[in-house]
Amino acid sequence: MKLKEISGQKKASELLEKAIHGNRINHAYLFYGPKESGKFTFSLMAAKMLNCLKGNACGTCISCRKVDRGIHPDVSVVSPEGKNIKIEQIRQLKNLSSFKPNEGRKKVYIFQEAHKMSLPAANSLLAVLEEPPDYIVFILLVPELFLLPDTVVSRCQCIPFGRVSRKEIYNVLKVQKPHLSQEKLQAAAHAAEGSILRAIKLAGSEDWNQWRHSSFQWWKGFLHCKSRELFSYGEQLAQEENLIEFLDFIESYYRDCLVYGSTGEEDLIINIDYLEEIKKIEVGSSRLLIKAIEELESFKRKLSVPLNKKNALEAMLVKMKGVK
């Protein structure tokens, strides 16, 4: 199996496969790109390729199966303990790195959210990165390069992960979810924001589809409600258990109206299965659409501090409606 079949990241796949098959493996790799762009799945696949008994990440040998089950003695995942990856974790890693692999050809250390290393932890890791044993491969995962110290970045081979095209995601979903309708697959591919992993999760979630339907109906009602009805819409939102996600849906509908109204490009629409309804909805000028999106973003940021949620929601809706 090829890396790109899992990750959808052609450039990253070619770089790493060429290095592994050509036996020109770097001691440290830095995978950077958006959340859920396949970095972690890709790193596990790389760990399998480095230690597979058949040399191709077959998925069936004892080594590959152990990686899949998270019990391979030579493949370790380093994650934040609390808010940070702490220096104690790096010290333990350094002690273990002095021993050669137990079963495989390489010891692989995968750092999830490597940007959450404390500064002492990053400095401690730097000492290993400068003079690593030839049997160790480090894989650091970050959303952006600038989140790590330059000294760490400079000692890694940086491999970018971008957003996967909707067409590629749709083709993966057809294989992964053959029982789903074309409409559902297209909806998941468009809403996934370039992430194959997110698309697979969305396509298989009935809750997601029901949620979108209820949020869309709420939004249509809100657009046409009278000023005196705003408070009942605020009460409905205040009772929503997953308010942030619900508001994300609402924002995506405003965004689709703005994009389609400005460009007329159907392929840019996130909620492609609601396209015909969105075309018919009259929501006012671009200025009002942008204002609504700004108010939604502002409210979501305020949720991190104490506030009267119901009153804040009502105030947000009044502003979104343009009531003076």
Side-chain angles (χ1 to χ4, degrees):
M1 184 177 290
K2 294 184 180 296
L3 286 166
K4 63 184 176 182
E5 294 173 7
I6 298 295
S7 68
Q9 300 289 342
K10 183 178 179 181
K11 183 176 181 180
S13 303
E14 289 175 348
L15 285 171
L16 202 55
E17 284 188 335
K18 186 175 180 180
I20 292 173
H21 294 311
N23 199 28
R24 295 191 300 274
I25 302 162
N26 204 310
H27 69 280
Y29 292 92
L30 205 167
F31 297 168
Y32 67 98
K35 184 180 178 181
E36 293 190 319
S37 55
K39 298 188 295 294
F40 183 64
T41 303
F42 191 95
S43 63
L44 289 177
M45 194 68 174
K48 284 198 281 189
M49 291 186 73
L50 288 166
N51 288 304
C52 178
L53 300 181
K54 298 180 181 179
N56 61 353
C58 67
T60 59
C61 72
I62 186 64
S63 177
C64 287
R65 294 203 305 272
K66 283 186 176 182
V67 174
D68 285 335
R69 293 166 59 193
I71 60 171
H72 197 295
D74 299 317
V75 178
S76 301
V77 177
V78 181
S79 302
E81 290 184 355
K83 294 183 178 180
N84 301 108
I85 295 174
K86 298 177 172 59
I87 190 170
E88 290 79 11
Q89 293 173 264
I90 305 301
R91 285 171 177 164
Q92 183 181 16
L93 179 154
K94 288 167 74 173
N95 289 334
L96 293 173
S97 68
S98 62
F99 299 99
K100 292 187 176 182
N102 290 280
E103 298 178 6
R105 294 184 295 276
K106 296 286 184 180
K107 275 191 170 184
V108 183
Y109 291 99
I110 300 167
F111 283 71
Q112 282 192 304
E113 299 185 287
H115 55 291
K116 292 187 177 180
M117 274 190 291
S118 65
L119 185 57
N123 289 334
S124 182
L125 178 63
L126 188 60
V128 188
L129 291 177
E130 288 175 337
E131 295 183 13
D134 59 7
Y135 51 78
I136 287 183
V137 175
F138 294 101
I139 302 178
L140 282 61
L141 314 180
V142 295
E144 299 283 355
L145 290 179
F146 71 83
L147 295 173
L148 281 177
D150 290 342
T151 49
V152 173
V153 174
S154 65
R155 285 162 177 79
C156 301
Q157 180 177 349
C158 300
I159 297 183
F161 281 66
R163 298 187 186 278
V164 184
S165 72
R166 288 171 175 173
K167 182 178 179 180
E168 285 182 276
I169 293 175
Y170 177 75
N171 289 335
V172 170
L173 290 179
K174 282 199 299 184
V175 175
Q176 295 277 342
K177 306 285 183 180
H179 58 288
L180 295 180
S181 67
Q182 179 179 345
E183 184 181 62
K184 285 187 176 181
L185 296 180
Q186 285 182 329
H190 277 245
E193 298 180 354
S195 166
I196 288 178
L197 298 179
R198 178 170 166 77
I200 292 172
K201 291 177 188 176
L202 297 180
S205 172
E206 278 304 314
D207 288 343
W208 179 69
N209 287 304
Q210 292 171 8
W211 227 4
R212 288 178 69 243
H213 178 72
S214 63
S215 64
F216 192 78
Q217 296 307 314
W218 181 96
W219 180 64
K220 286 202 301 181
F222 168 71
L223 289 177
H224 301 105
C225 76
K226 305 296 184 183
S227 297
R228 63 179 179 273
E229 299 174 306
L230 284 177
F231 297 107
S232 67
Y233 279 88
E235 287 177 3
Q236 292 174 36
L237 283 183
Q239 295 170 13
E240 176 59 51
E241 291 184 7
N242 298 291
L243 181 58
I244 291 290
E245 290 84 354
F246 195 90
L247 294 179
D248 284 342
F249 285 133
I250 303 303
E251 186 174 332
S252 74
Y253 306 138
Y254 277 108
R255 180 260 182 208
D256 283 348
C257 285
L258 179 62
V259 170
Y260 184 76
S262 301
T263 69
E265 294 288 338
E266 296 184 1
D267 193 53
L268 298 177
I269 300 300
I270 294 174
N271 302 285
I272 192 67
D273 48 337
Y274 290 129
L275 175 61
E276 294 307 315
E277 289 191 73
I278 287 172
K279 284 180 178 179
K280 298 173 186 175
I281 291 174
E282 295 182 6
V283 289
S285 66
S286 296
R287 182 183 62 81
L288 289 176
L289 289 170
I290 293 170
K291 175 66 175 174
I293 292 171
E294 288 175 345
E295 290 299 331
L296 285 163
E297 283 294 316
S298 175
F299 176 83
K300 286 187 288 184
R301 288 193 296 270
K302 290 176 184 175
L303 280 179
S304 60
V305 298
L307 80 166
N308 185 314
K309 186 164 66 174
K310 182 174 178 295
N311 289 348
L313 282 167
E314 289 172 351
M316 178 190 74
L317 295 181
V318 167
K319 293 176 183 176
M320 288 171 63
K321 198 72 173 173
V323 177
K324 298 181 179 179

